[in-house]
Structures are given as structure tokens and as C-alpha cells.
Amino acid sequence: MEFTPVSFQLTVFTNLTIDDAKMLAKSFDQSYKKMALATVALPNAPWFRITNLNQSVNIDLSNNRIDYYYLNISEEKITEFLDFINNSGQVRNISRLAINYNYFIADEDNIYKKKLNDLFFSRFFGDVEELLFRVNNQKKIDDLLFNVITDCQNAIAQNNQNLDSTKCIMFHHDINNISTDNIEKDKLLGYFTKMLKELNTLIEKINGIIK
């Protein structure tokens, strides 16, 4: 049994002007590729996308959020992300934080789909062709109330390198707080550390259900 990571995403929600975002994009050195994006039809889409040359991190800057995208989970990535946020004068009021993680397990023979269906749904609905469910619990972390969300569905995962497709069960975890007026920067590490701990607990629960 092997899970394949898709993306580990770290986010702060903050209001930026286009000049703020451009200044942030310019702050990255020559080891990063910088791209301005056409967003006329999508006002909340990223204004700038920054990718380091070895493609281990992608960064999106938009009018209301900053997103860092990695492949794998690690505490070091949180440190890298927060070093950028904490040292950026353009990042002022932060209203929300989020960690997202997407991953899947190959399921060509529908073994895991059947197992999940037998555990949760078959008694009431019988055998299913399409499996899709979402769970959202709320949990207090320090003084903030967080949504702790898990999505699960059978899907087709496509390899971007060889374009091969794989039947799978896709999982998505999203941990984000209810919007607040302002989150102080010196509290960010504590929040993200505890959010990561919550994420690892969710992954362990999925492992326990699937195995």
C-alpha cells in the first residue's frame, strides 16, 4: 500500500495591491523564474507565479492570498514559507491561514473503493460506481476556530510526465481558520506547527482505514 503525494500547500490570506505583489515577486533572486499572469477574466486568480529552477516550490501571489506549493510535507517547508511572510513588509493584516494536502492511492481493481463503500455506505446504498464524500469538523487551536476538512473520491490521476492515467482514490485535507481581523506574525509558527500536527493525524487516520 503506497500513497502518492500531489501537493502540499501553505497559505496566508492578506490583502495586497498589485504594486505590493510585484515588489514581492521582484524580491526573489535569479534562482526563481517569475511570471506575470493575465487575470482579466478571473479577478481572484494569481497576479504573479514564481517557480524555483529545480521546480521544488511554486508560489502564487494574488490580491487576497499568498500560496506556496510543495510536493511533500515537512516542517522545514513551513519555516521557509514563514521566513518569507515574516520578512515581507508588504504582508500586513493576515486574516486566515490554511494548509492543504492532496494525495492518492492507486486503485485499478477498485479494492479501496469497495473497502470505503463497505465501511461507510453499502449498507444504505449498495454498491457504488462513484464515491465522493466530504467531512468538515471544527476545532479550536489556541484562540482561533479552524475548519478541519477531508475530501475523498474515486478519480483518475494523470502523470504529467508520461500522460499515463491511473484509477485511484484521491484524498484532500484542508485546515483553515474562520476569518478574523488580524493574526499577529509572531503567532504564525505556533499555528502552522499545530495545523501540521492535525494534518498528520488525519493522514494517519486514512492509513488506518485503508490498510
Side-chain angles (χ1 to χ4, degrees):
M1 183 183 74
E2 184 177 354
F3 290 95
T4 300
V6 176
S7 66
F8 175 52
Q9 176 184 348
L10 303 170
T11 303
V12 296
F13 292 79
T14 183
N15 291 322
L16 297 174
T17 66
I18 187 70
D19 290 334
D20 286 337
K22 184 181 294 186
M23 191 172 296
L24 289 173
K26 287 182 175 181
S27 71
F28 289 89
D29 62 28
Q30 295 304 310
S31 62
Y32 290 84
K33 178 181 178 182
K34 305 152 196 174
M35 183 184 304
L37 304 176
T39 60
V40 175
L42 298 170
N44 292 319
W47 285 328
F48 299 96
R49 179 161 294 156
I50 301 100
T51 305
N52 66 347
L53 297 184
N54 64 13
Q55 297 186 333
S56 63
V57 57
N58 292 295
I59 302 152
D60 282 352
L61 306 174
S62 71
N63 67 325
N64 61 359
R65 60 191 291 164
I66 298 171
D67 297 287
Y68 269 53
Y69 296 90
Y70 300 95
L71 179 60
N72 294 303
I73 297 171
S74 79
E75 291 187 18
E76 290 77 12
K77 292 174 174 61
I78 289 178
T79 300
E80 178 184 20
F81 173 64
L82 292 182
D83 281 347
F84 174 74
I85 298 299
N86 288 327
N87 294 321
S88 300
Q90 292 75 27
V91 180
R92 301 174 187 92
N93 283 10
I94 298 172
S95 59
R96 290 178 63 205
L97 317 172
I99 284 181
N100 282 262
Y101 183 53
N102 290 280
Y103 60 108
F104 68 87
I105 186 167
D107 194 26
E108 290 292 344
D109 298 319
N110 295 319
I111 293 171
Y112 298 114
K113 182 178 77 172
K114 184 178 187 307
K115 183 167 188 177
L116 288 166
N117 187 53
D118 288 347
L119 280 171
F120 300 115
F121 305 111
S122 62
R123 177 184 171 188
F124 303 101
F125 302 105
D127 293 335
V128 299
E129 180 61 28
E130 180 181 4
L131 183 70
L132 171 64
F133 64 88
R134 175 183 178 92
V135 178
N136 181 7
N137 297 314
Q138 290 193 330
K139 181 173 184 177
K140 198 77 173 290
I141 298 178
D142 293 338
D143 56 340
L144 295 180
L145 182 62
F146 282 79
N147 296 304
V148 181
I149 300 168
T150 295
D151 291 290
C152 172
Q153 64 178 315
N154 62 308
I156 301 293
Q158 185 167 325
N159 187 309
N160 290 331
Q161 300 301 316
N162 58 28
L163 302 184
D164 288 343
S165 297
T166 303
K167 289 172 62 177
C168 68
I169 303 293
M170 186 75 69
F171 298 95
H172 172 216
H173 301 299
D174 179 2
I175 302 172
N176 64 84
N177 68 287
I178 305 299
S179 183
T180 188
D181 289 338
N182 184 45
I183 300 172
E184 296 174 15
K185 285 185 175 181
D186 61 1
K187 294 184 178 180
L188 293 178
L189 179 59
Y191 287 127
F192 273 101
T193 300
K194 292 174 183 177
M195 292 160 68
L196 180 62
K197 182 178 179 181
E198 191 69 28
L199 173 62
N200 285 325
T201 298
L202 292 173
I203 296 170
E204 289 173 6
K205 289 179 179 178
I206 294 296
N207 271 283
I209 291 170
I210 288 293
K211 70 178 182 180

